[in-house]
Amino acid sequence: MLDRPTELSGSAPVPDGGARRTPSGPEHRLTRDSLPGFVSALRQRRTTLVATMLAVPLCAYLVLSQITPRYTATGSLIYQISEYQPRQLQSMVQPSPVTEATITSQAEVLESQHVAQRVAERGNLFANPEFNPFIRPPGLIQRLTGVVRRLLGMESGNAPQEPVYGPVIDRPRDITVMAVQAALHASPVRFSHVVEVTFTANDPTVAAAAVNNAMDIYIKGLYADRHAKIEAGTNLLLNQAKELRRVVEREEEKVSAYRAQHGLSQGIHAGTDTEQISHLSEDLAKAKSERASADAKLDAARGRAGATAQAAVAPSVERLREQQQQLAGQIKAQQARLGSAHPEVQGLGRQFAETQRALADETARVIAATEAEQHAAADRVATLERNLREAEAAATQAAKEQLPLNGIDRDLEAAREQLRSVLGLIQQTAHQTSLETSEAHEISQALPPERPESPRMVPAMAAAVAAGIFLGLMLVYVLYLTDSTLRSGDDLRLITGLPCLALIPEVGKRVLGHLKIHDYIARRPLTAFAEQVRSLRAGVSLDIAHPQIITITAARPAEGKSLLTLALGRSAQLGGERVLAIECDVRRATFQHRLDGRPAPGLMEILRGEAAWRDAVQDDPVTGMGFIAAGKPGGDVLGLFLSEPMRQLLAQVRDHYDLILLDAPPVEAMTEARVAAALADATLLCVRWRSTQTKTLLRAMEMLRDAHAKIIGTVLTRVDPRVHLRSGYADAGVYHRRYKAYFRG
């Protein structure tokens, strides 16, 4: 592809002995990835660019001229909430604080279907064809559709009226309301409480009236809604006051009846019961302490407490125990010293026994006294506990009897307080109602606009011109990127790595006149066409290998190879060389017709051995160039080209002619082209300007090189001089008007 010139040019091999000509530098090359290349594309396709630049604004103007002007009227209002004093009614009357969301919600209310319906009713928009399509005269498409439906039997006369039960759909009304809603818009102004209201219509007066009606409907709706809420709140307060009066009366009757039934006076027993329970609790605590002390003494007396406790309970018992312990110690000491039978020891034993009996008697006496004390303390505790329980039971009973009365008293006091509060609110509401105003106010009313909102011709046309330029550039750029054809000799050199020996111009019918294209070079030798053919002849003659037999072929048909063969042969013949042109394109032979040849054997007859080559050679009546026509194809054409007679023919004519040209068929489809190219000394490849695809050319070169053909150069054919001159390529300068004096005809 053309966007990879370096890779392709570097990968194209050159056969041995071939002269490869490359440009001296890249400074004059125009590639697809360069700005000069795109500028060149703009020059080449300036007609496309200009046509697009003119077509888009023209179409935009035609469309805009058919659009009915639309006028938009604008009005504004401010949304402010007045404070409502009675707190019990604020939840019903006062909305949330004004925020951005609140203003946006109010704008949505302004755009609601309810407001749109009221606007349509006030402005009589149901009778306006702009908003009610059912009263518009039918258009052409509708009339044609109706005719077709009637012809197909899909529509008949008026259907009989039948009774309708249930809701009835009013399509004209619904569609009109939706059209009015679509034309009505409300938008909040940022960082403010202002809402702008707009309406778009074909008539500026209708638009202004619709805006003013919408604002008036909205403001009055807010006031009516607020007044209705206040009235509903006042009625609610009155009903609540009436109900509270009945509640107060019922509660007072309950209090009186209960007190009379239970004989209660307010708070008469509360102090006495509490004081009695308090005294009993104190006495019970003291009795329990005395009982605990008696229990401790009894334990100590029975020996279940420590020695100190026992001593504190009975000092006499403690003295007897100490005396007993002393006697026990003396007995042990005397027994150890005198023996147990000694009279002194026995006397001590009798004293010990008497002390033990005295200790037992004293302990029994102490225990009996302590038990009596403990029983007395326990009886006192039991008595106090019983008295406390009786007092608490009495207090509990009194409290139970007082509890319902307390609840009734609380309900009565709450009802009285509510009644006082409601009566105060009713008085405040009566004053507040006379001061209430709407939450929204008009800032400015809408006036009929002087200029239509749409279409805006100047901005739209400016945008159309910019779009035309942009689309034109984009179209040229897309065509430029998708064009993979060869457009100059520089492209050929970059793609093939071979020299482009000539740029053969396209000769139009007006320039040819009565001449035929194959006679043009002979009849008009001073033209640019003839000069480019001579340039090709010079490039071939100056080749370092001096090829004598040259095959001229192309990648595909209609590339101009046959015409180039005849033109090159005639030019060389006129230059003094002996030229023989052999037509190898057997399947599309043209030499016999173009050169007015006589009926004679051709190449096929020579290769089949049916004629000698000298008998097949004919002379060009214009220049005297020798040529051999293709002859009659038959049998295996490829086999004949590969046969020995073909090589012998070329060897024989080599000795009689200075230049032998082989007009080979296209390489892409015909195999004979590769055989002819392999048999020749060199090969010229014709490439049609802005027609041959790059991949097709590279494929043809690959096939020729696979056949070991020596490609010495390329020729760009059928070039449009005027278009190529606008491209900006370096090799296009030859067609500049400054060279006009050098060419004639």
Side-chain angles (χ1 to χ4, degrees):
M1 297 297 291
L2 287 178
D3 52 353
R4 298 192 303 270
T6 305
E7 177 184 351
L8 294 173
S9 62
S11 62
V14 180
D16 295 339
R20 176 171 176 174
R21 305 176 189 177
T22 57
S24 59
E27 59 273 12
H28 298 296
R29 299 176 185 174
L30 299 180
T31 58
R32 290 183 183 272
D33 54 355
S34 63
L35 180 61
F38 180 63
V39 174
S40 172
L42 290 178
R43 292 176 179 174
Q44 296 178 34
R45 294 183 171 85
R46 61 183 179 184
T47 303
T48 302
L49 177 61
V50 173
T52 306
M53 292 171 56
L54 295 177
V56 173
L58 179 60
C59 294
Y61 177 77
L62 294 177
V63 171
L64 293 174
S65 62
Q66 299 299 319
I67 297 176
T68 304
R70 304 278 290 172
Y71 294 87
T72 299
T74 304
S76 58
L77 52 84
I78 186 169
Y79 184 82
Q80 290 180 334
I81 299 176
S82 59
E83 184 179 359
Y84 193 80
Q85 296 298 330
R87 297 183 179 274
Q88 280 72 9
L89 293 183
Q90 286 182 358
S91 59
M92 297 177 54
V93 180
Q94 181 175 344
S96 58
V98 179
T99 61
E100 186 176 354
T102 304
I103 301 300
T104 303
S105 302
Q106 297 305 314
E108 292 294 331
V109 173
L110 265 166
E111 294 180 350
S112 65
Q113 198 172 78
H114 172 71
V115 175
Q117 180 177 350
R118 297 287 304 279
V119 169
E121 292 172 352
R122 280 198 183 185
N124 195 23
L125 300 182
F126 294 103
N128 191 330
E130 179 185 355
F131 301 98
N132 189 353
F134 291 90
I135 61 176
R136 299 174 191 167
L140 178 61
I141 297 178
Q142 293 177 335
R143 293 197 298 270
L144 293 177
T145 304
V147 171
V148 172
R149 291 174 65 88
R150 285 193 295 271
L151 292 177
L152 296 177
M154 300 175 65
E155 291 184 356
S156 57
N158 296 329
Q161 296 291 335
E162 296 182 358
V164 179
Y165 303 97
V168 179
I169 298 177
D170 191 351
R171 282 188 56 79
R173 185 179 185 84
D174 295 343
I175 292 178
T176 302
V177 171
M178 287 189 291
V180 173
Q181 185 181 12
L184 179 63
H185 296 284
S187 58
V189 179
R190 296 191 63 183
F191 309 113
S192 70
H193 296 173
V194 177
V195 178
E196 286 189 350
V197 185
T198 61
F199 192 88
T200 303
N202 296 340
D203 190 343
T205 305
V206 171
V211 171
N212 295 329
N213 288 335
M215 292 193 299
D216 185 63
I217 291 168
Y218 170 72
I219 293 172
K220 290 182 177 179
L222 288 179
Y223 180 77
D225 182 63
R226 187 178 182 87
H227 184 75
K229 289 180 179 179
I230 294 175
E231 185 177 358
T234 303
N235 294 332
L236 179 64
L237 290 175
L238 292 173
N239 294 333
Q240 188 176 0
K242 186 183 297 184
E243 181 65 24
L244 287 173
R245 287 191 183 95
R246 289 196 293 267
V247 171
V248 169
E249 292 174 358
R250 287 198 301 268
E251 295 301 325
E252 288 176 347
E253 291 176 357
K254 287 182 181 180
V255 170
S256 300
Y258 190 84
R259 286 178 177 172
Q261 181 180 358
H262 295 278
L264 297 176
S265 297
Q266 186 173 2
I268 190 170
H269 297 293
T272 304
D273 294 340
T274 303
E275 184 178 358
Q276 183 180 3
I277 292 173
S278 177
H279 289 321
L280 289 174
S281 298
E282 292 177 359
D283 294 342
L284 178 61
K286 188 182 298 183
K288 287 182 178 180
S289 176
E290 293 175 356
R291 185 183 63 179
S293 177
D295 291 340
K297 290 180 181 180
L298 181 60
D299 291 339
R302 290 174 178 174
R304 291 196 293 267
T308 304
Q310 294 175 6
V313 172
S316 59
V317 174
E318 183 62 26
R319 286 194 299 271
L320 290 175
R321 286 178 181 171
E322 290 178 356
Q323 186 178 358
Q324 185 181 16
Q325 290 176 357
Q326 290 176 0
L327 289 174
Q330 291 176 5
I331 291 172
K332 288 182 181 180
Q334 292 297 330
Q335 283 179 353
R337 185 171 62 86
L338 301 176
S340 58
H342 194 274
E344 188 178 349
V345 173
Q346 292 178 353
L348 289 174
R350 286 190 295 271
Q351 290 179 5
F352 180 80
E354 291 175 358
T355 304
Q356 189 173 8
R357 284 193 299 272
L359 177 62
D361 295 339
E362 184 64 22
T363 301
R365 185 186 65 78
V366 171
I367 290 174
T370 305
E371 285 179 350
E373 184 181 353
Q374 189 268 343
H375 286 307
D379 292 340
R380 179 172 176 76
V381 168
T383 301
L384 290 174
E385 286 179 347
R386 183 173 60 254
N387 294 337
L388 181 60
R389 285 195 298 271
E390 292 174 355
E392 289 178 346
T396 302
Q397 182 65 27
K400 288 182 179 179
E401 294 176 354
Q402 185 68 24
L403 186 61
L405 181 60
N406 294 337
I408 297 173
D409 287 338
R410 286 194 300 271
D411 293 341
L412 176 59
E413 186 61 28
R416 287 174 178 171
E417 183 64 28
Q418 289 182 357
L419 179 59
R420 286 192 293 268
S421 176
V422 170
L423 292 176
L425 289 176
I426 291 174
Q427 186 176 5
Q428 293 180 18
T429 304
H431 296 289
Q432 187 77 18
T433 304
S434 60
L435 302 176
E436 282 300 319
T437 59
S438 177
E439 298 171 351
H441 308 279
E442 289 183 357
I443 296 178
S444 62
Q445 289 190 338
L447 298 176
E450 298 181 358
R451 296 181 180 179
E453 177 71 17
S454 64
R456 296 182 178 180
M457 293 296 294
V458 175
M461 290 304 299
V465 171
I469 296 174
F470 176 75
L471 291 177
L473 292 174
M474 288 299 297
L475 180 59
V476 171
Y477 186 66
V478 170
L479 294 175
Y480 172 66
L481 291 181
T482 56
D483 185 8
S484 61
T485 60
L486 287 308
R487 298 170 294 174
S488 70
D490 290 340
D491 285 348
L492 275 175
R493 294 185 187 94
L494 291 171
I495 293 300
T496 63
L498 298 172
C500 179
L501 300 177
L503 277 71
I504 307 300
E506 181 84 12
V507 181
K509 293 182 179 180
R510 186 176 62 85
V511 176
L512 284 174
H514 64 281
L515 295 176
K516 296 180 180 180
I517 185 62
H518 49 271
D519 295 334
Y520 188 70
I521 189 170
R523 304 298 184 185
R524 300 287 189 270
L526 299 180
T527 59
F529 180 88
E531 186 61 33
Q532 287 299 310
V533 173
R534 285 192 289 270
S535 174
L536 172 61
R537 174 187 165 198
V540 172
S541 300
L542 296 176
D543 189 272
I544 192 172
H546 301 292
Q548 185 178 3
I549 302 176
I550 300 174
T551 297
I552 301 177
T553 185
R556 60 181 189 174
E559 302 285 291
K561 61 174 184 59
S562 298
L563 175 62
L564 181 63
T565 302
L566 296 178
L568 179 59
R570 283 180 165 182
S571 178
Q573 185 72 29
L574 291 174
E577 298 182 60
R578 292 174 299 168
V579 181
L580 175 64
I582 302 177
E583 188 175 24
C584 298
D585 193 353
V586 179
R587 310 189 193 196
R588 292 190 61 183
T590 59
F591 279 14
Q592 190 76 20
H593 169 70
R594 288 182 172 180
L595 300 179
D596 298 327
R598 67 180 188 279
L603 177 61
M604 292 293 99
E605 285 78 10
I606 297 173
L607 298 180
R608 287 196 294 265
E610 298 174 0
W613 69 271
R614 294 180 182 275
D615 298 332
V617 175
Q618 303 182 55
D619 293 332
D620 174 22
V622 178
T623 62
M625 175 191 69
F627 70 92
I628 298 177
K632 297 179 180 180
D636 185 8
V637 177
L638 178 61
L640 294 176
F641 273 85
L642 292 172
S643 63
E644 186 62 27
M646 183 66 181
R647 293 183 176 82
Q648 293 177 358
L649 171 64
L650 296 179
Q652 292 172 3
V653 299
R654 188 186 292 271
D655 297 334
H656 295 81
Y657 293 95
D658 300 323
L659 180 63
I660 301 157
L661 302 177
L662 304 182
D663 179 23
V667 177
E668 192 175 30
M670 302 295 109
T671 312
E672 301 94 276
R674 285 176 277 173
V675 178
L679 295 174
D681 298 336
T683 300
L684 288 176
L685 192 59
C686 294
V687 180
R688 184 172 176 176
W689 175 78
R690 293 185 65 177
S691 177
T692 304
Q693 299 289 327
T694 303
K695 59 182 180 181
T696 304
L697 172 62
L698 295 177
R699 174 62 178 164
M701 293 181 61
E702 183 181 358
M703 296 172 69
L704 290 174
R705 285 174 175 142
D706 290 343
H708 303 287
K710 177 184 176 183
I711 307 174
I712 62 171
T714 58
V715 180
L716 199 61
T717 61
R718 306 186 68 172
V719 179
D720 188 336
R722 291 180 298 177
V723 176
H724 191 50
L725 181 61
R726 293 196 301 266
S727 66
Y729 286 100
D731 54 10
V734 68
Y735 300 119
H736 199 275
R737 61 177 178 269
R738 67 171 63 94
Y739 294 104
K740 188 175 182 180
Y742 289 88
F743 304 127
R744 300 176 184 176

